[in-house]
Amino acid sequence: MGYQHRPGTTGHLVDRAPARRRSGVTSERPVGGQPPTQTAAAGEQLNTVLRALTLLIGVCVSHTAFPDTVPGGLYVAELPPHAQRATYEGRPVLLLDGKAIVGIPLAAAPGSHTLQIVDADGAAHGLAFTVVPKQYPEQRLTIENPRMVNPDPRDLERIRSESARMRAGYLSYEPADVTRLRPFVMPLEGITSSPFGYRRILNDQPRNPHSGLDIAAPEGTPVAAPAPGKVSLTGNFYFNGRTVFVDHGQGLVTMYCHLSKINASEGQDLQRGEVLGLVGATGRATGPHLHWSVSLNGNRVDPEQVIALLAQ
Ligand SMILES: [Zn+2]
C-alpha cells in the first residue's frame, strides 16, 4: 500500500477552525526575483531557496503519515488538544498519540465521511474527511466443495449463528494502553497468496470481497500474535475452520483462521510473538495458508496499513 499523498484527502473541521494548520509553500517568500548583484545578496537568495526546500521536504514528510483514505483503509486524524473520545458511524475509534485511527469499511461509499469528536466539556463536533475510491483487483477461485460456495439451509443456520459470534468479537471495545502494540508485526513469514480487498468470484459467482490477507505457508507453521492481546474467541467455524480472535484493545481486533491446530484458549493473554495456532486448510481453503483479518472499530482493514502505522 503506497503512502504517497494526493490532494483532496486531508480532513477539515466542519464547525471549528483546525487546531493546527500545515504550513503551505505559498506563504513563503517567492524564490527567484532579481539576479544577485553582490555576495550578500547571493547568500540571502541561497538561504531563501534552502528555506523553501526545507519547507517543501517538511510538507512531503508530514504527508507520508497521512495516506489516501480508501474503502478498507485507515483515516488518521490529528485531534484537538481537548478531545476526549471520537466515534465513527456510532462506534468508538482507537486513540493513540493525540490521533484518532479510524477503520473504513470495504463497502464505504466514496465521498464525505464524518468523525465525531467529543471534548472534555462534552461538546461534540464533526470532522469531515474524504474517502477516495479504490478499484481492488478481481480474483477468480475454484472451490471443489459446492457447499462451500452455496451452503444448504442447515449450513446457513450454522453460518448465521457463527457470524453473530464473530461479529460480536469484532465489535469489542476494551480500554487499553495501545502504545504497547508497537511494533505490530506479521504473524508469520510466508508468501501473500491473496491480498486484502480483492473482489472474489468463487466458481463464477460474485462473493464478498477478501476481508483479510492470505499468507501461504506449509501446514503446521506457527502463527504468532503480532502484538499483545487477549484471546476473545476460538472455534471451528463453517467457512473459517479453526479460528482464533485476539482483542488488542480500543477496537483493534485480529482474526486467524483455517488453522490446523489452536494453541490458545479464550481469556488467555498473549504477548507479541506467542504462538496461538498452526497453519492449516480447515474450512473453505484451497490449500494451507493463514487468513489474517485486522479490524478497527468493527471494520476489516488492510493489515499492511496497520503494520505500517504501528511500525514504531
Ligand atoms: Zn483469505
Side-chain angles (χ1 to χ4, degrees):
M1 180 61 57
Y3 267 40
Q4 76 279 18
H5 173 72
R6 276 180 238 133
T9 59
T10 307
H12 61 277
L13 288 164
V14 169
D15 57 357
R16 179 178 296 192
R20 203 157 61 80
R21 289 182 194 278
R22 292 199 185 94
S23 302
V25 174
T26 49
S27 67
E28 185 64 288
R29 282 196 290 159
V31 177
Q34 294 300 312
T37 53
Q38 51 183 278
T39 312
E44 169 65 17
Q45 194 163 41
L46 182 63
N47 280 339
T48 305
V49 170
L50 286 176
R51 274 201 302 275
L53 278 175
T54 306
L55 190 64
L56 188 64
I57 291 164
V59 167
C60 291
V61 167
S62 74
H63 280 159
T64 58
F66 296 88
D68 280 354
T69 296
V70 297
L74 306 179
Y75 172 59
V76 180
E78 294 265 6
L79 291 174
H82 299 296
Q84 283 281 293
R85 58 192 174 86
T87 62
Y88 173 67
E89 296 185 333
R91 299 178 197 152
V93 303
L94 186 141
L95 305 182
L96 176 63
D97 295 341
K99 296 186 184 75
I101 299 166
V102 187
I104 307 299
L106 264 169
S112 184
H113 289 237
T114 305
L115 180 68
Q116 292 293 335
I117 296 171
V118 181
D119 288 345
D121 59 7
H125 56 93
L127 175 67
F129 63 96
T130 303
V131 174
V132 300
K134 175 169 181 173
Q135 182 77 339
Y136 287 98
E138 184 181 287
Q139 184 180 39
R140 289 179 173 270
L141 292 170
T142 302
I143 307 289
E144 300 290 341
N145 181 353
R147 271 177 64 195
M148 284 292 171
V149 180
N150 294 304
D152 68 29
R154 279 186 58 192
D155 297 333
L156 284 172
E157 207 173 301
R158 175 183 165 190
I159 290 163
R160 268 194 286 272
S161 125
E162 292 174 353
S163 297
R165 290 174 66 197
M166 288 190 274
R167 184 175 153 77
Y170 282 128
L171 288 176
S172 164
Y173 192 93
E174 295 289 332
D177 170 18
V178 286
T179 58
R180 75 204 168 106
L181 301 183
R182 291 182 293 214
F184 193 82
V185 298
M186 290 290 287
L188 80 171
E189 284 186 16
I191 297 155
T192 298
S193 54
S194 180
F196 173 84
Y198 274 36
R199 292 171 298 132
R200 286 281 176 85
I201 314 284
L202 304 185
N203 301 359
D204 294 325
Q205 298 169 54
R207 287 294 179 270
N208 286 334
H210 192 221
S211 60
L213 186 65
D214 284 356
I215 305 152
E219 177 126 2
T221 303
V223 176
K230 189 185 280 289
V231 178
S232 55
L233 176 66
T234 63
N236 191 355
F237 301 127
Y238 187 84
F239 287 126
N240 287 1
R242 292 198 179 89
T243 300
V244 174
F245 275 67
V246 180
D247 190 339
H248 302 279
Q250 289 204 34
L252 177 58
V253 175
T254 53
M255 188 275 277
Y256 310 78
C257 69
H258 307 311
L259 301 171
S260 59
K261 185 171 186 289
I262 292 174
N263 288 41
S265 46
E266 288 180 12
Q268 183 182 341
D269 283 312
L270 295 174
Q271 298 306 311
R272 178 182 299 103
E274 207 169 336
V275 175
L276 56 86
L278 305 177
V279 168
T282 55
R284 187 171 70 189
T286 53
H289 73 281
L290 173 71
H291 171 106
W292 184 36
S293 281
V294 176
S295 184
L296 267 171
N297 49 276
N299 297 322
R300 255 58 74 216
V301 295
D302 186 346
E304 288 178 344
Q305 281 206 13
V306 177
I307 286 176
L309 189 82
L310 299 177
Q312 50 193 343

